[in-house]
């Protein structure tokens, strides 16, 4: 089991952190941590003999808060840095991430389907992309709600629908993939 925690420095003491977000996956612990000079995501393998000694850091993030999402099966970790998504294969944690750069504005929402097959992301310009994690190098499908930032995307438990909410207060239910029916 993995636990992912996004942390933010508490202003009055730069050595303290507070948790903003927690993710749970099958085999690894994930932590998004920031400090004055260290905008990183850290990964701990909870199945190793000494997880603290065998952790890995993913560095180089520009944003103070690095949104993270782990797939339910523990295979994938998605991190966001502005408009760029980094897809980390946790089965091969020493390999570099695959960068998914379709978004032209800041990624504001993401979710991974319960079967870990689909990644859905939304951005501040109203674009929503659907990535097939069975073939992550393939082009994503997309649709738009122009003029409104996507604030939330959630994939239904059966993986067939995406529920999305935008900055206008609108909520829409969209078929995820018709070829899966």
């Amino acid at each position: 089991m993995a636990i992912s925690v996004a942390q933010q420095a508490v202003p009055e003491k730069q050595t303290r952190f507070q948790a903003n977000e927690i993710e749970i996956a099958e085999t690894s612990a994930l932590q998004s941590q920031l400090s004055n000079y260290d905008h990183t995501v850290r990964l701990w393998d909870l199945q190793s003999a000494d997880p603290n000694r065998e952790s890995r850091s993913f560095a180089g993030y520009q944003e103070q808060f690095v949104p993270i999402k782990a797939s339910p099966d523990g295979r994938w970790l998605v991190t966001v840095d502005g408009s760029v998504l980094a897809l980390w294969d946790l089965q091969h944690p020493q390999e570099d991430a695959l960068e998914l750069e379709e978004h032209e504005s800041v990624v504001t929402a993401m979710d991974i389907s319960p079967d870990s097959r689909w990644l859905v992301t939304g951005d501040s310009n109203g674009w929503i992309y659907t990535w097939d994690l069975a073939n992550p190098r393939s082009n994503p499908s997309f649709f738009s709600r122009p003029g409104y930032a996507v604030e939330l995307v959630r994939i239904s438990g059966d993986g067939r629908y995406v529920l999305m909410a935008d900055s206008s207060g609108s909520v829409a239910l969209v078929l995820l993939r018709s070829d899966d029916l």
Side-chain angles (χ1 to χ4, degrees):
M1 175 178 290
I3 301 172
S4 168
V5 179
Q7 294 185 330
Q8 182 173 2
V10 176
E12 67 275 4
K13 262 190 153 176
Q14 293 301 316
T15 57
R16 289 185 51 210
F17 294 90
Q18 70 183 42
N20 289 342
E21 183 176 310
I22 296 175
E23 281 294 316
I24 298 174
E26 291 297 316
T27 60
S28 302
L30 314 170
Q31 179 181 22
S32 173
Q33 178 176 318
L34 63 95
S35 68
N36 282 338
Y37 305 104
D38 183 18
H39 294 207
T40 63
V41 172
R42 289 198 169 84
L43 172 69
W44 290 269
D45 183 350
L46 297 182
Q47 295 178 345
S48 77
D50 187 353
N52 287 321
R53 287 186 147 199
E54 299 177 29
S55 68
R56 174 156 186 226
S57 293
F58 307 105
Y61 291 93
Q62 301 301 310
E63 301 293 323
Q64 279 196 323
F65 174 69
V66 180
I68 54 178
K69 185 74 177 173
S71 63
D73 67 0
R75 167 119 192 240
W76 302 106
L77 169 65
V78 182
T79 61
V80 177
D81 195 15
S83 64
V84 177
L85 297 154
L87 181 63
W88 300 92
D89 185 344
L90 298 180
Q91 291 180 349
H92 306 283
Q94 299 309 318
E95 293 180 7
D96 288 339
L98 173 62
E99 289 190 351
L100 308 174
E101 301 182 86
E102 297 296 321
H103 286 281
E104 293 182 6
S105 65
V106 174
V107 175
T108 54
M110 66 179 156
D111 197 18
I112 298 176
S113 63
D115 65 359
S116 300
R117 171 131 187 229
W118 304 105
L119 167 64
V120 176
T121 59
D123 67 29
S124 60
N125 284 343
W127 287 93
I128 296 175
Y129 288 86
T130 302
W131 311 84
D132 184 351
L133 295 179
N135 186 9
R137 294 186 190 283
S138 64
N139 290 329
S141 58
F142 57 91
F143 63 94
S144 175
R145 295 195 40 101
Y148 298 103
V150 177
E151 293 184 345
L152 176 73
V153 293
R154 290 293 178 263
I155 301 172
S156 64
D158 63 5
R160 292 178 57 193
Y161 296 95
V162 174
L163 183 66
M164 55 91 43
D166 65 31
S167 59
S168 75
S170 295
V171 176
L173 184 66
V174 179
L175 185 63
L176 179 60
R177 298 291 291 203
S178 60
D179 58 359
D180 281 345
L181 299 178

